[in-house]
């Protein structure tokens, strides 16, 4: 059964990419002092709105680029397809994206008035990253810079900003806390570019997978997946985070299975779908296990 239109258009299942790092940071902040939960909720709304806006603006620009040429779209790649399927007009998608960016901006203004002035500046950085990931004149996704933007915006920069909102100051620990999720969300983007490669190449969308080809790109996919788990050791052994974060290692079997599938089927879009799904599940599982570890550390 097809998902509701708003779920498909907004790509709501992918919102875990931005919301989980915020939730992780909130429970980390509790180890330093109380968290104002209404402020945390406002942060989640603002961050979620930024991602939905970025998803929509990406559909808008790809509808004039690679998406019409993509013959192997799946629930994980090729965009939401609401424009291609005639479910939503391209102008509607554009104005919806502007509306969600506006909602995110309102959340940033409220947080700034609430005593977190840098929240607005960080939100604007996220907004600009979300827009210019797809839009000219920068179009980072076409210049081999999109992967780095996603790594930063959905990882250390996001957790640094969330940590600032929750504690009232910038903390290097909050920055590094975003590493595991950053590696995994970049792996999600990375593997989703495999089936899109022919269409992306045809319109000059030269992301790193297009530049490398899937045979070489699968090596970097495996490295991204494993780096997420290695970064847990960095957090605990080098930076002194709670050893309960090692609970996240329970997601390793999911990662290894995804890596095996991607290695064998890197150039077979239909057979690659289970690996794409497992990559997202690994991101979700690690995030929830990190939250669990932080909660256990609070309660012990």
């Amino acid at each position: 059964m097809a998902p509701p239109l708003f779920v498909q258009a907004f790509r709501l299942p992918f919102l875990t990419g931005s919301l989980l790092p915020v939730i992780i940071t909130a429970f980390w902040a509790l180890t330093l002092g109380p968290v104002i939960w209404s402020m945390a909720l406002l942060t989640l709304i603002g961050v979620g709105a930024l991602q939905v806006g970025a998803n929509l603006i990406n559909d808008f620009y790809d509808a004039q680029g690679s998406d019409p040429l993509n013959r192997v779209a799946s629930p994980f790649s090729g965009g939401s397809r609401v424009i291609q399927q005639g479910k939503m007009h391209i102008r509607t998608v554009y104005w919806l994206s502007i509306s969600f960016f506006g909602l995110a901006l309102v959340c940033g203004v409220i947080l700034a008035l609430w005593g977190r002035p840098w929240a607005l500046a960080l939100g604007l950085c996220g907004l600009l990253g979300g827009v210019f990931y797809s839009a000219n004149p920068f179009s980072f996704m076409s210049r081999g810079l999109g992967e780095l933007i996603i790594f930063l915006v959905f990882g250390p920069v996001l957790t640094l900003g969330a940590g600032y909102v929750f504690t009232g100051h910038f903390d290097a620990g909050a920055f590094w806390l975003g590493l595991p999720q950053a590696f995994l969300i970049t792996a999600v983007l990375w593997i989703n570019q495999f089936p899109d490669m022919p269409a992306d190449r045809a319109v000059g969308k030269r992301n790193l997978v297009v530049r490398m080809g899937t045979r070489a790109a699968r090596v970097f996919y495996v490295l991204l997946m494993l780096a997420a788990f290695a970064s847990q050791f960095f957090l605990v052994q080098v930076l002194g985070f709670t050893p309960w974060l090692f609970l996240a290692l329970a997601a390793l079997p999911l990662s290894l299975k995804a890596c095996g599938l991607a290695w064998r089927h890197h150039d077979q879009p239909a057979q690659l779908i289970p690996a794409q799904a497992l990559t997202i599940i690994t991101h979700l599982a690690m995030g929830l296990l990190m939250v669990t570890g932080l909660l256990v550390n609070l309660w012990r």
Side-chain angles (χ1 to χ4, degrees), residues 260-273:
L261 290 168
W263 194 267
R264 292 192 300 273
H265 304 301
H266 62 95
D267 58 352
Q268 300 169 291
Q271 286 73 30
L272 194 63
I273 290 175

Side-chain angles (χ1 to χ4, degrees), residues 81-122:
R81 312 302 291 178
V82 293
I83 297 172
Q84 289 72 35
Q85 294 169 4
K87 295 180 179 179
M88 195 173 286
H89 195 278
I90 188 170
R91 287 196 298 272
T92 304
V93 170
Y94 175 79
W95 285 112
L96 277 172
S97 72
I98 299 301
S99 299
F100 276 98
F101 284 137
L103 173 60
L105 188 60
V106 169
C107 292
V109 170
I110 295 173
L111 287 170
L113 295 173
W114 206 336
R116 300 291 189 266
W118 284 103
L120 181 58
L122 290 166

